[in-house]
Amino acid sequence: MAHKKCPRCVDEILIQHRYEQQELDLCRLCGGLWFDKDEVNAVIRSKNPDVDLGCFSESFGESLGDSEIDCPSCQVNMQRHHLLEHFHLEIDICIECNGSWLDRGELPPVEQSPELDTHLKELNKGLSWKTYFFQLLSQLPVEFNIKAKKTPYVNYTLLALNIAIFLAYFFNDDSYNWVITQFGMTPSIVAAEGQWWTLLSCVFLHGSVFHIVGNMYFLAIIGDNLEDALGHIPYFLLYLTCGVLASLGTMMWRYGSDIPSLGASGAIAGLFAMYMVWFRHASLSFMFIVYQKKLSVIWFFALWLGINVAGLLFFDDGMDYAAHIAGFAAGLLFAILLKDWVHRKNPLLSILGHESIQLKR
């Protein structure tokens, strides 16, 4: 039996490599893999046991014509295809023997291609009249992202806790004043009397209905994805840590101030940064007066950050811009430090950050 040679390295002999109960052919130099007929289908099915799958080639995107390499089995010129309509990774296919060649790094998106195809169709959905009128009336963005696989118990608990605390004190003036005095973070009091617990307690307080509705909406739409990516306990700890660091940012910026700081905005700003780094494929709709547009989360939060920096420097309207910026900076640091760990836990997130992804915005 003739040995197969690597189509990239020419003279390098492919060696047998067992993967997912299939005997594949591997090039030790370039890391490429050769799949004989039906082997790639078997690998995909092993990774997606609950999905009704057809043939690997049925989901291909655009045909790109002749490849620059020849088939290791029958030596005919191979053909290039995009892996999916919205994922322009080039795959080399032999139309004679139905074999497939994958270069190093191309196996993960191929394995995940059924799920990837489903998610990309969802991500590329256009805006509708329903999203338009919702945003026109509420001025809140609409999220386009993959759905969380795990129930976000911590996020539900945070939402319920914030709302319950708000209802317990807000509609009674005496209760409102006592709660804000005891648990709001007032920089001058913390500095003089050491009420350090208020750095955390203030994160669960809100000063108006509009304040809590806005914060809880953003927590609801992005928190489930982050909890899914991180796990319940890490998500909870990062939320609290971003909230405390946001409060410290306010204390340093407004040192000696008698104005209490309150709200989950700083903690949620930290979530914004993590969401932006780990979910680059997601979109949020932006409404400019009456014009609605899907934006990359990077652009959306860049606009949000710019508004907050301008507010910090030029406006004195009672908004705690320092907490927003400090919370965002803390979240950005955690996002960078934990990115590789999060991607290892969630391979699909890494794939969705690939340069081959095609998103409609």
Side-chain angles (χ1 to χ4, degrees):
M1 180 178 177
H3 292 293
K4 298 182 181 114
K5 292 184 178 180
C6 174
R8 296 289 185 195
C9 305
V10 184
D11 293 326
E12 182 68 19
I13 300 298
L14 300 178
I15 63 170
Q16 290 292 299
H17 175 70
R18 190 162 184 81
Y19 182 75
E20 294 294 333
Q21 300 182 343
Q22 300 297 312
E23 290 290 345
L24 310 180
D25 297 289
L26 168 70
C27 177
R28 290 173 294 187
L29 285 183
C30 68
L33 284 168
W34 171 251
F35 293 78
D36 286 317
K37 181 181 179 180
D38 294 331
E39 287 181 342
V40 71
N41 292 323
V43 169
I44 293 174
R45 290 190 181 98
S46 71
K47 293 291 186 179
N48 302 268
D50 299 325
V51 180
D52 185 17
L53 301 173
C55 180
F56 171 53
S57 61
E58 290 176 359
S59 64
F60 283 161
E62 182 184 1
S63 174
L64 303 173
D66 292 341
S67 173
E68 62 184 16
I69 61 175
D70 294 334
C71 173
S73 288
C74 51
Q75 285 73 55
V76 301
N77 190 227
M78 301 180 76
Q79 299 293 305
R80 295 179 300 135
H81 286 267
H82 283 153
L83 176 60
L84 301 167
E85 179 184 358
H86 301 299
F87 198 81
H88 290 182
L89 182 72
E90 293 187 13
I91 303 298
D92 297 288
I93 304 297
C94 178
I95 60 176
E96 292 291 327
C97 67
N98 291 321
S100 309
W101 175 261
L102 302 182
D103 291 316
R104 182 191 294 272
E106 292 181 346
L107 181 58
V110 169
E111 290 178 325
Q112 300 287 337
S113 57
E115 186 177 7
L116 184 59
D117 189 37
T118 300
H119 288 317
L120 286 172
K121 287 174 181 175
E122 287 294 317
L123 292 172
N124 283 325
K125 280 185 176 179
L127 296 164
S128 67
W129 67 268
K130 293 180 181 179
T131 63
Y132 180 85
F133 280 106
F134 168 79
Q135 190 163 20
L136 184 66
L137 295 173
S138 69
Q139 294 300 300
L140 295 169
V142 177
E143 181 197 29
F144 296 82
N145 197 3
I146 60 177
K147 290 180 173 59
K149 293 181 178 180
K150 294 176 290 196
T151 303
Y153 296 113
V154 172
N155 212 50
Y156 287 158
T157 301
L158 289 172
L159 289 165
L161 187 59
N162 275 280
I163 294 169
I165 291 172
F166 180 78
L167 294 175
Y169 74 83
F170 181 75
F171 296 100
N172 180 283
D173 289 342
D174 291 337
S175 296
Y176 180 91
N177 292 329
W178 183 83
V179 168
I180 299 306
T181 300
Q182 295 298 316
F183 301 104
M185 198 284 292
T186 305
S188 61
I189 295 177
V190 173
E193 301 178 20
Q195 292 185 356
W196 296 104
W197 68 86
T198 61
L199 295 172
L200 178 59
S201 61
C202 72
V203 175
F204 293 92
L205 307 179
H206 292 84
S208 70
V209 172
F210 177 78
H211 190 196
I212 192 168
V213 167
N215 277 346
M216 294 304 99
Y217 178 78
F218 276 104
L219 181 59
I221 65 171
I222 70 172
D224 58 343
N225 290 109
L226 288 167
E227 184 174 348
D228 192 43
L230 285 163
H232 304 304
I233 294 176
Y235 171 70
F236 180 64
L237 294 176
L238 283 172
Y239 179 87
L240 296 182
T241 302
C242 286
V244 170
L245 293 176
S247 297
L248 282 172
T250 295
M251 185 174 172
M252 289 187 290
W253 182 260
R254 297 196 334 216
Y255 192 80
S257 171
D258 294 324
I259 301 174
S261 173
L262 53 150
S265 307
I268 296 170
L271 302 186
F272 285 172
M274 288 180 265
Y275 188 85
M276 180 185 73
V277 173
W278 300 336
F279 295 88
R280 291 172 49 201
H281 58 273
S283 301
L284 292 171
S285 60
F286 179 79
M287 180 72 80
F288 180 71
I289 306 177
V290 295
Y291 175 70
Q292 188 187 31
K293 170 69 175 172
K294 281 174 70 176
L295 293 179
S296 158
V297 290
I298 295 175
W299 281 107
F300 186 92
F301 290 125
L303 284 170
W304 174 87
L305 186 60
I307 291 169
N308 277 273
V309 171
L312 184 70
L313 297 177
F314 304 114
F315 300 105
D316 186 16
D317 55 6
M319 189 76 72
D320 196 350
Y321 296 111
H324 297 174
I325 295 170
F328 188 86
L332 187 61
L333 177 62
F334 292 134
I336 294 169
L337 292 175
L338 297 174
K339 183 178 179 181
D340 290 342
W341 177 72
V342 167
H343 280 180
R344 285 195 299 272
K345 284 190 62 176
N346 307 272
L348 186 64
L349 291 187
S350 179
I351 295 170
L352 287 169
H354 197 280
E355 60 183 9
S356 298
I357 192 172
Q358 304 295 307
L359 297 172
K360 296 179 180 179
R361 294 188 169 114

